[in-house]
């Protein structure tokens, strides 16, 4: 197309040259040259100033392993200075008898089925037609689980505004919500999240990206936790939400949009737990990696207690770097967030962002350990404590 328009332009520039002289021809060429690529604003660290760059420079940065947030549409995002509300984070688990049946009901059957289908889309890239198809399939599964309940809703969080803007995209984020039984806590909430998109770093739009581990594993981990809670009649005191974000691989785009909307609405997020890569065991024994950098310290201490109480494997402490996943969007706005990963960061799956990120390298029993922790997190933090 570009080639065609270039050659058409050259022909018309040439005829302008012939008819009106060299200046008119230069004018036509300038029109072509000034259609510059859209720039994105990229932030690499808490204390480093963001930089403007083209989409292809941003993709090259991703391939080079630099972690970032694309803050083009979220330039003023920061913790609110008006709110004096601070959440109470417990130190120890207390609701074992409520949590245990939900955990006892977990199985790997649904996870196998869901991950098999999720990885069959060519990719789940946020801007590709495949990514738009995969999110429509995903929401149907989640709606199917919630069907027949009157206190659980499932909604699309759209990233496409009505007027077709170039920067919008078709893959929506998904939000499933348990209403709270205590109406005084209606404005508060607990969030369990994962990202639904995948990417082939060499060819984002068309390349094969099964994204089995990144983050198909987290996606099905939290679907299974959600299923067990719904089917066994979970009734939280304060609202609990499950989020499946779009556009994480492009710089936490979906979670920045959702968290900023919640901040604008004045919602009080008590705690957020991200599940990004929960399927690969690695060479150094089966553990749950608890991320300790760029997270809330108190909530992370509580997460250690949750793993001790509700998982059947130990945790190891690890680091993932700036803007490693969607928990960072919540933390940036001042909300407590925490993050579990499949292993120590150095032992994690090296096939991510390629066609090699496939199911055969993963363990569903390992994923199930993370579903247990997610259930512990949702139930324990849904209660009002003094
Ligand atoms: N799933 C990864 C983060 C990750 C890597 C978790 C290894 C556990 C082990 C995430 O999807 C990702 O790719 N993050 C990018 C940053 C992104 C926001 C541009 C990264 O790590 O490079
Ligand atoms: Zn990734």
């Amino acid at each position: 197309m570009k080639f065609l328009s270039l050659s058409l332009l050259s022909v018309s520039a040439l005829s302008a040259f012939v008819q009106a002289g060299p200046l008119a021809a230069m004018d036509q060429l300038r029109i072509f040259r000034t259609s510059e690529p859209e720039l994105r604003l990229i932030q690499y660290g808490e204390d480093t100033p963001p930089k403007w760059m083209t989409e292809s420079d941003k993709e090259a940065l991703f391939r080079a392993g630099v972690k970032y947030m694309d803050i083009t549409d979220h330039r003023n995002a920061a913790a609110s200075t008006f709110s004096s509300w601070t959440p109470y984070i417990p130190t120890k688990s207390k609701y074992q008898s409520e949590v245990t049946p939900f955990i006892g009901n977990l199985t790997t059957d649904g996870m196998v089925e869901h991950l098999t289908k999720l990885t069959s889309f060519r990719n789940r890239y946020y801007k590709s037609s495949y990514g738009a198809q995969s999110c429509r399939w995903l929401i149907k599964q989640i709606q199917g689980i919630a069907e027949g309940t009157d206190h659980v809703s499932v909604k699309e969080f759209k990233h496409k505004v009505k007027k077709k803007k170039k920067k919008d995209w078709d893959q929506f984020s998904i939000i499933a919500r348990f209403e709270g039984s205590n109406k005084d806590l209606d404005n508060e909430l607990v969030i369990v999240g994962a990202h639904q998109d995948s990417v082939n770093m060499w060819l984002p739009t068309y390349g094969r990206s099964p994204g089995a581990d990144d983050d198909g594993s987290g996606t099905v981990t939290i679907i299974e936790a959600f299923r067990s809670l719904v089917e066994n009649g979970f009734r939280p005191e304060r609202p609990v939400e499950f989020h499946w974000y779009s556009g994480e691989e492009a710089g936490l785009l979906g979670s920045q949009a959702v968290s900023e909307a919640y901040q604008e609405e004045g919602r009080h997020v008590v705690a957020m737990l991200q599940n990004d890569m929960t399927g690969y065991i690695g060479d150094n024994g089966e553990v749950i990696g608890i991320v300790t950098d760029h997270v809330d310290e108190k909530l992370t201490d509580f997460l250690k207690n949750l793993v001790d109480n509700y998982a059947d494997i130990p945790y190891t402490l690890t680091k993932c770097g700036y803007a490693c996943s969607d928990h960072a969007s919540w933390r940036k706005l001042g909300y407590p967030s925490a993050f579990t990963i499949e292993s120590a960061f150095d032992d994690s799956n090296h096939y991510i962002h390629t066609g090699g990120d496939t199911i055969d390298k993963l363990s569903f029993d390992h994923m199930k350990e993370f579903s247990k922790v997610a259930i512990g997190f949702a139930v324990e933090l849904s209660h009002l404590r003094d």
Side-chain angles (χ1 to χ4, degrees), residues 68-70 74 77 157 159 169 171-175 191 193-197 243-263 272 274 276 323-333 335:
Y68 54 76
M69 289 174 90
D70 178 337
H74 308 281
F157 183 101
H159 299 293
W169 66 96
Q171 184 184 66
F172 46 79
S173 294
I174 300 171
I175 297 179
I191 301 169
H195 71 88
Q196 58 170 290
D197 62 317
H243 292 183
W244 290 267
Y245 301 112
S246 164
E248 187 268 356
E249 303 286 12
L252 316 183
L253 295 179
S255 57
Q256 286 187 81
V258 175
S259 56
E260 208 168 81
Y262 280 27
Q263 187 190 48
M272 190 271 170
Q274 176 73 350
D276 187 356
C324 183
S325 193
D326 296 306
H327 62 290
S329 302
W330 295 95
R331 178 173 159 79
K332 188 170 177 183
L333 301 188
Y335 297 123

Side-chain angles (χ1 to χ4, degrees), residues 62 65-69 195 214-215 248-252 276-277 320 322-325 339 341-342 345 348-349 352-353:
F62 184 78
V66 177
K67 296 171 202 278
Y68 54 76
M69 289 174 90
H195 71 88
D214 189 8
D215 182 23
E248 187 268 356
E249 303 286 12
L252 316 183
D276 187 356
M277 295 171 59
C320 201
Y322 174 77
C324 183
S325 193
F339 185 19
I341 63 174
E342 58 202 12
F345 181 78
S348 67
N349 193 337
I352 64 170
H353 307 153

Side-chain angles (χ1 to χ4, degrees), residues 249-320:
E249 303 286 12
L252 316 183
L253 295 179
S255 57
Q256 286 187 81
V258 175
S259 56
E260 208 168 81
Y262 280 27
Q263 187 190 48
E264 273 163 21
E265 288 163 17
R267 300 217 213 175
H268 293 159
V269 177
V270 174
M272 190 271 170
L273 174 67
Q274 176 73 350
N275 284 260
D276 187 356
M277 295 171 59
T278 60
Y280 183 78
I281 294 181
D283 297 331
N284 291 309
E286 190 179 353
V287 291
I288 287 182
I290 294 186
V291 173
T292 57
D293 60 337
H294 306 279
V295 293
D296 184 87
E297 211 176 309
K298 264 195 189 164
L299 186 62
T300 300
D301 280 340
F302 183 56
L303 188 57
K304 296 174 195 168
N305 183 271
L306 290 174
V307 174
D308 285 342
N309 270 280
Y310 297 124
D312 292 308
I313 54 175
Y315 64 79
T316 190
L317 301 179
T318 192
K319 292 187 176 168
C320 201

Side-chain angles (χ1 to χ4, degrees), residues 8-28:
L8 282 177
L9 191 84
S10 316
V11 171
S12 70
L14 193 68
S15 67
F17 183 83
V18 173
Q19 287 163 28
L23 276 178
M26 283 305 289
D27 253 11
Q28 287 212 19

Side-chain angles (χ1 to χ4, degrees), residues 116-154:
T116 304
K117 177 68 184 178
L118 269 179
T119 52
S120 75
F121 293 94
R122 180 158 184 78
N123 61 53
R124 302 190 300 277
Y125 189 54
Y126 78 115
K127 286 197 285 196
S128 78
S129 58
Y130 312 109
Q133 284 162 21
S134 66
C135 75
R136 288 199 291 271
W137 175 82
L138 185 59
I139 198 169
K140 280 202 191 109
Q141 312 316 303
I142 298 162
Q143 282 166 336
I145 293 169
E147 210 171 65
T149 64
D150 57 1
H151 65 298
V152 188
S153 60
V154 180

